[in-house]
Amino acid sequence: MFTSKCANCTDTVGDGPECSICKKRFHFACGGITERGFARLGSGRASWMCTNCRDAPLTPMETSCIETAAANTPGSSRFSSGLPLEIRAVSTPKHGASSEDKQNFLELLQEVSSKITNIQTEITMIRVIQQDIQQVKLDIAEMNNTLNTKLDKLNNRVDNIESRVSTVEGLVSTIEGLSTEVEDLKMKVKTVLEEGHKNEQWVRRSNIQINGIPHKSGENLIKIIKTLAERSGYPLNAENDIDFITRVAVKNDEDARRSKPIILKMQSRYKKDDFLAALRKLRNIKACDLGFTGMTGRIYFNDHLSQRNKQIFQQAKLKAKEKNYTFCWVKNCTIMVRKTEKSPVLHITSEESLKKIL
């Protein structure tokens, strides 16, 4: 491959355009033309001019020769009509002109022809540029179509996401509504349970629970209650005052080692309260005092608490002991604690109210 120095950057150049005027070779970029544009010149590549030669101003002589050559070319009136008047005045040498003048004229004519060829080359280049511009327009249109397609897809995805977000918002609203309903149900269940606990305790409002009396085969519970009434000084009429009396089963191993408690149900609550108050005066009465020989365990009298209130009572006693409270007792089926004799009485009605014991 033929190589030379680029006339512009002086670097080695191989397959580059060569100026038809100055005969210098250039890189395509240094010559001001693309490889694609140069290829499109076809046969016009032989008359291609570099920018230096193309931009060089015409001499007056060259201008006159261009006018003359154009005037002698068919259809040249359109070309020459745009030239200045003094250029169009130049004509061919008169008859009898010297050979030198004719030679000069021929040289000028060749130069004019070269200029015209260059002009045609530039026109071809302009057409190539127009084609390039048209191709750029097509590329831009294609890019625009591609962008529009992608934008449509993006819009569809956004619409899809918005639809899903709307669905999620609906679900969130539904969940919030369900959460509210669940909370309402919890409150209702809690209320029902509280009512159930109250009812369970309410049916025991006339009961007295007696702990510490040993069980004996063939025992007479009515007789035992009458003996306790006599000792406490309470005027008990067993036939009219007692509804029923029985022993109840225990629910854990610790209670299993003890005697089953006796449950006494009175006919009215006020009689139960009076009898229980009298029995509690027997603070130190023992089983042996009722004829149980050798049984020195104490006997205790309390309200007959529901299972829930029994648990709360046990927790209250433990916490009262932990916090150095002196008193913890049950009155009228209500659990009470008191730190000292002069301290206010605290009513414990639930696990939450245990926080009162500070």
Side-chain angles (χ1 to χ4, degrees):
M1 177 184 293
F2 175 76
T3 58
S4 62
K5 298 292 185 180
C6 176
N8 186 25
C9 67
T10 69
D11 286 342
T12 301
V13 60
D15 186 16
E18 181 179 317
C19 180
S20 61
I21 302 301
C22 65
K23 305 302 181 181
K24 295 178 180 179
R25 190 173 293 274
F26 298 85
H27 291 107
F28 287 104
C30 294
I33 188 171
T34 64
E35 184 175 358
R36 181 180 177 184
F38 186 73
R40 288 185 176 181
L41 292 179
S43 61
R45 287 178 289 182
S47 58
W48 176 81
M49 291 190 303
C50 66
T51 54
N52 293 331
C53 294
R54 186 171 61 246
D55 296 337
L58 297 176
T59 64
M61 182 68 71
E62 290 174 333
T63 303
S64 298
C65 291
I66 291 173
E67 173 62 20
T68 301
N72 294 328
T73 303
S76 61
S77 58
R78 181 175 56 184
F79 175 81
S80 60
S81 61
L83 295 174
L85 181 59
E86 61 273 20
I87 295 178
R88 293 199 301 269
V90 178
S91 61
T92 57
K94 295 180 180 181
H95 180 70
S98 64
S99 59
E100 184 179 355
D101 291 337
K102 290 180 180 181
Q103 182 63 33
N104 291 335
F105 174 75
L106 292 174
E107 292 177 357
L108 290 175
L109 187 59
Q110 290 178 354
E111 291 182 9
V112 169
S113 177
S114 177
K115 295 292 184 181
I116 292 174
T117 301
N118 291 336
I119 291 173
Q120 291 175 341
T121 301
E122 292 185 357
I123 292 173
T124 302
M125 292 177 61
I126 290 173
R127 290 174 180 172
V128 172
I129 292 173
Q130 289 176 338
Q131 292 176 357
D132 290 341
I133 292 173
Q134 185 64 30
Q135 184 61 44
V136 169
K137 288 182 178 180
L138 293 175
D139 293 341
I140 291 174
E142 183 178 354
M143 290 176 60
N144 189 42
N145 291 333
T146 302
L147 289 175
N148 288 336
T149 301
K150 291 184 178 180
L151 184 60
D152 291 339
K153 291 182 180 179
L154 181 60
N155 288 334
N156 291 335
R157 292 185 64 182
V158 170
D159 292 340
N160 187 27
I161 291 173
E162 289 179 348
S163 176
R164 292 185 179 183
V165 169
S166 178
T167 301
V168 171
E169 289 177 348
L171 292 175
V172 170
S173 178
T174 301
I175 291 172
E176 290 176 350
L178 291 175
S179 298
T180 301
E181 292 181 8
V182 168
E183 291 300 323
D184 292 340
L185 288 174
K186 285 182 178 179
M187 293 300 297
K188 289 180 181 179
V189 169
K190 184 177 180 180
T191 301
V192 170
L193 290 175
E194 288 295 331
E195 290 297 325
H197 294 321
K198 289 181 181 179
N199 291 335
E200 184 182 2
Q201 187 61 65
W202 185 82
V203 298
R204 303 181 185 198
R205 68 193 185 283
S206 299
N207 296 359
I208 298 174
Q209 179 172 329
I210 303 172
N211 293 331
I213 296 179
H215 180 269
K216 185 185 294 186
S217 178
E219 65 184 358
N220 187 336
L221 296 178
I222 294 293
K223 182 178 179 181
I224 293 174
I225 296 302
K226 286 181 178 180
T227 301
L228 289 172
E230 291 174 0
R231 283 183 169 273
S232 65
Y234 180 76
L236 177 69
N237 185 336
E239 290 74 13
N240 296 326
D241 296 340
I242 297 177
D243 187 359
F244 69 84
I245 182 172
T246 186
R247 283 187 184 269
V248 296
V250 294
K251 293 187 177 181
N252 55 58
D253 295 339
E254 183 179 352
D255 290 337
R257 294 191 294 268
R258 302 176 183 177
S259 300
K260 295 179 181 180
I262 296 173
I263 302 300
L264 169 66
K265 181 175 178 61
M266 304 292 288
Q267 290 288 358
S268 63
R269 181 177 177 179
Y270 79 89
K271 287 186 177 182
K272 166 255 182 180
D273 291 339
D274 292 343
F275 190 21
L276 181 59
L279 290 172
R280 280 176 170 168
K281 292 178 182 179
L282 303 175
R283 295 180 181 277
N284 297 316
I285 188 170
K286 301 177 182 178
C288 57
D289 297 331
L290 300 180
F292 294 92
T293 306
M295 299 293 183
T296 58
R298 285 186 58 187
I299 300 174
Y300 298 92
F301 310 97
N302 290 298
D303 287 290
H304 185 203
L305 298 178
S306 65
Q307 190 63 32
R308 174 173 177 265
N309 283 340
K310 285 180 181 179
Q311 294 174 356
I312 295 175
F313 185 38
Q314 292 299 322
Q315 294 176 29
K317 288 195 293 185
L318 291 174
K319 193 166 185 180
K321 183 178 180 181
E322 177 187 347
K323 302 296 182 180
N324 296 321
Y325 277 65
T326 305
F327 306 100
C328 181
W329 74 100
V330 177
K331 183 177 181 181
N332 296 330
C333 299
T334 301
I335 302 168
M336 304 180 186
V337 294
R338 196 176 193 178
K339 194 160 190 175
T340 64
E341 291 183 355
K342 296 182 180 180
S343 301
V345 176
L346 303 178
H347 293 75
I348 308 300
T349 58
S350 64
E351 290 86 348
E352 186 69 20
S353 61
L354 289 169
K355 296 178 181 180
K356 296 178 182 179
I357 305 175
L358 303 177

